[in-house]
Amino acid sequence: MGIFDRYRPLLDSYQAMRATGIDPLVTMERVLSPTEAIINGRKTLLVGTNNYFGLTFDQECIEAAVEATRAEGTGTTGSRMLNGTYAQHAALERELADFYGMKHCMVTTTGYQANLGIISTLVGEGDYLVIDADSHASIYDACKQTQATIIRFKHNDPASLEARLRRLKDQPGNKLVVVEGIYSMLGDTAPLKAFVDITKRYGGYILVDEAHSLGALGEHGRGLVEEAGVLEQVDFVVGTFSKTLGAVGGFCVSSHDGFEALRVATRAYMFTASLPPAVVASVRAALKVVRRDGAALRARLWENVATLYDGLAAAGFRLGPEHGPVVAVLMPDQTTTIAIWHALLEAGIYVNVAVPPATPGGLCLLRCSLSAAHSRGQLQHVVETLSEVAQRFGVLETARKRAIAG
Ligand code: PMP
């Protein structure tokens, strides 16, 4: 058996799709702004980039990145453990800890590594890692790296979490519950207050991944932990720099005294190069923008959410369960999803195509993500174009019949 044989079915279906002229792996030939790029030679409206505040082209962030590159070079060429901790890394950690009102912060090279490294290090043999069934791949991959026993509970279901923790009540070992603020595929928020109450009642620890909620939720943009009023009860908040903060990288904040031990125990932190100066500088600048202008940016983002979500709902689409910076449009099957996604791209609109196994419950989705940088006109255009394309494929008709039937 050849080393690639196990991937044959995957490769066959990818090649079959490419043979029809559709390649789901797009290349941004030139990025023009937070909301526009050239794809396949065509000016394309971007509605699937997680660029929630549109900060990738923010002048302050760009200037900070350029200045840091000139001053400190293009890369650190080393791990945080060796030569890769610059004063700026430490400053960013202090600023993030301060933003959340927590004592400690650790910055990692990606958000993926923050989850992978920190979750798998926090719990070990004899412990229990209790995760939401719809967790992100980085959380599932942490499960593979820890010796802890993995237990899943039903997505966003406090009763299911409670049943699991009740069963573990008399077991020795730590219990770490992991949930997300906003789920990346359907855009639904966790019932966080209930999760925190239950976890604490059973003596567990709780970690919240705020990848999609930093900036978007909470009076100061601290995410669902702030909006749900549980910032002081949660043990760990994980986040990423690759969405609202417009760069790349990850972090974890906590007020637990032992937290600094993670710096010498987390392999995904220790054995990889640290973030380059440009990224650290632009993230620090972006955090300042969030603190200073967050309320206005958040208001614009949520206006845009309403325009797209309400527009698509009025047109008859089946959508994810609630308003949010991620708007998932439910499609009937994989073939139709990909065909509509492609037709949209040809019409100059880019959204994410999301199909199993990347989606929960075997759903097929066109995943849209909003930005404060979108104009109302751009989003109205998305509603009109998607309606037109979906009509062509009979999707709205099916949704309407389903609504009448049920
Ligand atoms: N957590 C969640 C919920 C995510 O959606 C993502 C990325 N999409 C990550 C973590 C990983 O973050 P990054 O892409 O910045 O590594």
Side-chain angles (χ1 to χ4, degrees):
M1 180 169 154
I3 202 160
F4 292 112
D5 284 0
R6 75 181 57 171
Y7 301 111
R8 196 78 249 166
L10 201 61
L11 193 61
D12 286 349
S13 64
Y14 176 55
Q15 276 168 348
M17 196 184 299
R18 288 189 66 176
T20 67
I22 298 177
D23 189 347
L25 306 179
V26 300
T27 299
M28 305 272 161
E29 284 144 22
R30 199 151 56 88
V31 178
L32 306 171
S33 75
T35 63
E36 285 180 327
I38 306 290
I39 301 175
N40 298 333
R42 195 182 297 114
K43 196 173 195 185
T44 303
L45 174 55
L46 304 175
V47 196
T49 62
N50 306 311
N51 199 350
Y52 299 125
F53 278 3
L55 294 186
T56 48
F57 280 77
D58 180 89
Q59 276 314 306
E60 285 176 51
C61 297
I62 290 173
E63 291 311 322
V66 170
E67 209 174 289
T69 303
R70 288 198 199 288
E72 301 192 296
T74 51
T76 67
T77 68
S79 147
R80 291 293 303 272
M81 298 287 291
L82 302 172
N83 57 306
T85 295
Y86 291 14
Q88 278 218 67
H89 293 88
L92 174 57
E93 287 174 339
R94 281 195 304 277
E95 286 155 8
L96 280 163
D98 179 63
F99 180 62
Y100 285 94
M102 302 245 191
K103 284 192 203 155
H104 307 281
C105 174
M106 229 169 97
V107 162
T108 55
T109 305
T110 66
Y112 173 86
Q113 284 165 324
N115 273 339
L116 178 76
I118 287 164
I119 294 171
S120 64
T121 308
L122 280 170
V123 283
E125 200 176 348
D127 293 332
Y128 296 90
L129 179 51
V130 186
I131 67 165
D132 186 290
D134 287 358
S135 287
H136 186 260
S138 53
I139 297 169
Y140 271 105
D141 289 356
C143 295
K144 290 187 195 160
Q145 286 217 353
T146 175
Q147 302 295 313
T149 303
I150 313 302
I151 296 175
R152 287 189 305 173
F153 61 92
K154 238 169 101 190
H155 174 56
N156 270 355
D157 185 340
S160 172
L161 171 64
E162 179 152 22
R164 305 293 186 279
L165 290 180
R166 195 184 304 121
R167 234 181 292 148
L168 299 176
K169 193 160 53 81
D170 300 321
Q171 302 295 328
N174 291 309
K175 287 113 200 172
L176 176 67
V177 174
V178 175
V179 297
E180 295 171 32
I182 293 178
Y183 281 82
S184 60
M185 285 297 145
L186 283 174
D188 47 338
T189 49
L192 193 56
K193 176 91 179 71
F195 282 157
V196 170
D197 289 349
I198 292 164
T199 304
K200 295 292 147 184
R201 202 176 323 130
Y202 286 92
Y205 295 83
I206 187 159
L207 179 149
V208 186
D209 176 356
E210 297 271 25
H212 295 273
S213 27
L214 196 177
L217 294 177
E219 197 189 337
H220 303 91
R222 295 181 193 124
L224 186 62
V225 287
E226 183 180 23
E227 182 140 317
V230 294
L231 188 53
E232 267 140 46
Q233 285 110 281
V234 298
D235 299 282
F236 308 97
V237 173
V238 166
T240 169
F241 304 150
S242 70
K243 304 182 195 309
T244 296
L245 298 175
V248 67
F251 70 90
C252 178
V253 291
S254 173
S255 284
H256 281 283
D257 284 337
F259 187 79
E260 293 296 321
L262 291 177
R263 285 193 204 275
V264 288
T266 304
R267 297 173 68 81
Y269 173 86
M270 296 158 68
F271 297 108
T272 192
S274 64
L275 285 172
V279 171
V280 179
S282 88
V283 171
R284 291 181 70 193
L287 193 61
K288 267 192 210 144
V289 173
V290 167
R291 297 185 94 149
R292 191 189 59 215
D293 307 331
L297 288 164
R298 202 158 29 258
R300 283 233 295 284
L301 173 65
W302 283 91
E303 270 169 37
N304 286 341
V305 168
T307 301
L308 188 70
Y309 191 102
D310 297 348
L312 291 174
F317 286 99
R318 293 169 64 219
L319 304 174
E322 57 188 289
H323 275 195
V326 174
V327 174
V329 187
L330 277 64
M331 291 282 125
D333 56 71
Q334 185 156 326
T335 310
T336 313
T337 311
I338 291 166
I340 294 186
W341 172 81
H342 183 65
L344 270 183
L345 195 61
E346 301 242 286
I349 295 174
Y350 171 79
V351 299
N352 304 131
V353 63
V355 292
T359 49
L363 288 171
C364 291
L365 310 170
L366 293 174
R367 177 188 179 275
C368 306
S369 64
L370 279 309
S371 174
H374 282 126
S375 71
R376 194 177 159 77
Q378 283 177 322
L379 298 172
Q380 284 166 337
H381 175 65
V382 174
V383 173
E384 281 159 25
T385 311
L386 183 51
S387 304
E388 210 176 277
V389 172
Q391 205 107 41
R392 233 191 293 148
F393 286 87
V395 166
L396 284 174
E397 194 46 38
T398 316
R400 217 163 281 138
K401 274 190 200 141
R402 200 178 311 213
I404 292 164

